[in-house]
Amino acid sequence: MMANKAILALALVALCAVARANDPTEALPGVKDLTPDNFDKIVDGSKAALIEFYAPWCGHCKSLTPEYKKLGELIAKDPALNARVVIAKVNADDHQSLGERFQVRGFPTIKWFPRGRPTDSMDYNSGRTAEAMLEFIKKQIEYDNSFAVVPPLSEIAIKFTEGEVDAAAALKEAKDAVSKLDDDVKDNAALYIKYLEKAGEKGKEYIETELARLLKMVKGGKMSTNKLVEVSKKISVLESFSKAEVEAEMEGEVGEEEDAEYIDVE
């Protein structure tokens, strides 16, 4: 009789442990819990974000919890990804205003918020394993790195930064290339011309210095959405001047050039 009671007690303990492991309200390592009070402070466009909107009573949400925990741990262990993306969750049953704000119609709903566009989300509809979500994030980060890149001009920019051509030759080649481009990429192309001209005046190190300055501005926040998109385009173009990955946590002081205007708030 005592043995049966002991077995039953152990079974209950095991069931409770499973229930806790599958509780979406529990704090998960590497996963931020969002509320109306902190949402805009954390999802501010300085990083991309993958966010789960859940309800505590939802069976599918409970099943997702171990995988979401694993995803948070994987991102936290990868410095490059951790510097670029936030993994978060919202109890949309308790915080219905956030569910309504982002048009959540069922649970769980997972949304991707690109860097530089904190109000421009897209639904994630792929696999619900940590590996599938991680693969999606990596592809989105790759796209984010190049969303304003103009490949023919990036090739010229890389030749310049690697010393194959000087600034004057790179600028001439870039201007010739721009004349052959479609109109829909000419705004981004103009950034290459601007930065090559600046590098010709101030030296090759200008590219790295300006990139560090803009990255620091984005990290600091205090920009309207439209201005954040503008700065993100510039970062994308500047990053395309080099094959090497640039750390998002680079330090540097905000300079006094024209982009300093982006520190205001609408």
Side-chain angles (χ1 to χ4, degrees), residues 14 53 66 112 140-141 147 151 173 176 186 202 205 207 230:
F53 294 81
W112 173 257
Q140 292 300 315
I141 293 296
F147 82 98
E173 186 177 355
D176 290 341
K186 286 193 175 179
K202 300 186 176 185
E205 63 275 7
I207 300 298
E230 180 81 12

Side-chain angles (χ1 to χ4, degrees), residues 57-203:
W57 43 261
C58 166
H60 291 298
C61 301
K62 294 176 181 179
S63 297
L64 178 63
T65 299
E67 293 298 321
Y68 215 60
K69 176 184 177 182
K70 184 178 178 182
L71 176 66
E73 292 170 340
L74 289 171
I75 295 295
K77 291 176 182 177
D78 188 323
L81 286 177
N82 196 37
R84 301 294 300 275
V85 64
V86 172
I87 306 300
K89 56 189 175 79
V90 174
N91 185 336
D93 199 37
D94 283 352
H95 306 301
Q96 294 183 17
S97 62
L98 288 175
E100 292 170 0
R101 176 179 169 184
F102 295 106
Q103 300 180 331
V104 173
R105 299 288 182 261
F107 302 111
T109 292
I110 303 175
K111 289 182 176 285
W112 173 257
F113 294 75
R115 181 181 68 158
R117 288 163 284 171
T119 60
D120 183 18
S121 65
M122 61 179 282
D123 286 347
Y124 170 80
N125 294 313
S126 298
R128 298 298 174 91
T129 65
E131 290 76 15
M133 290 184 281
L134 182 63
E135 184 64 24
F136 169 84
I137 288 169
K138 288 180 176 178
K139 288 181 179 178
Q140 292 300 315
I141 293 296
E142 182 179 351
Y143 170 76
D144 176 61
N145 284 342
S146 61
F147 82 98
V149 171
V150 182
L153 298 182
S154 179
E155 292 175 7
I156 297 168
I158 289 171
K159 287 196 295 184
F160 164 66
T161 54
E162 294 189 346
E164 295 180 28
V165 295
D166 61 20
L171 184 59
K172 181 180 183 304
E173 186 177 355
K175 287 182 176 179
D176 290 341
V178 168
S179 67
K180 302 172 185 176
L181 295 173
D182 294 334
D183 290 339
D184 60 350
V185 299
K186 286 193 175 179
D187 284 346
N188 293 338
L191 292 174
Y192 284 90
I193 301 302
K194 169 188 171 181
Y195 291 133
L196 284 169
E197 288 175 342
K198 289 285 188 180
E201 296 170 9
K202 300 186 176 185

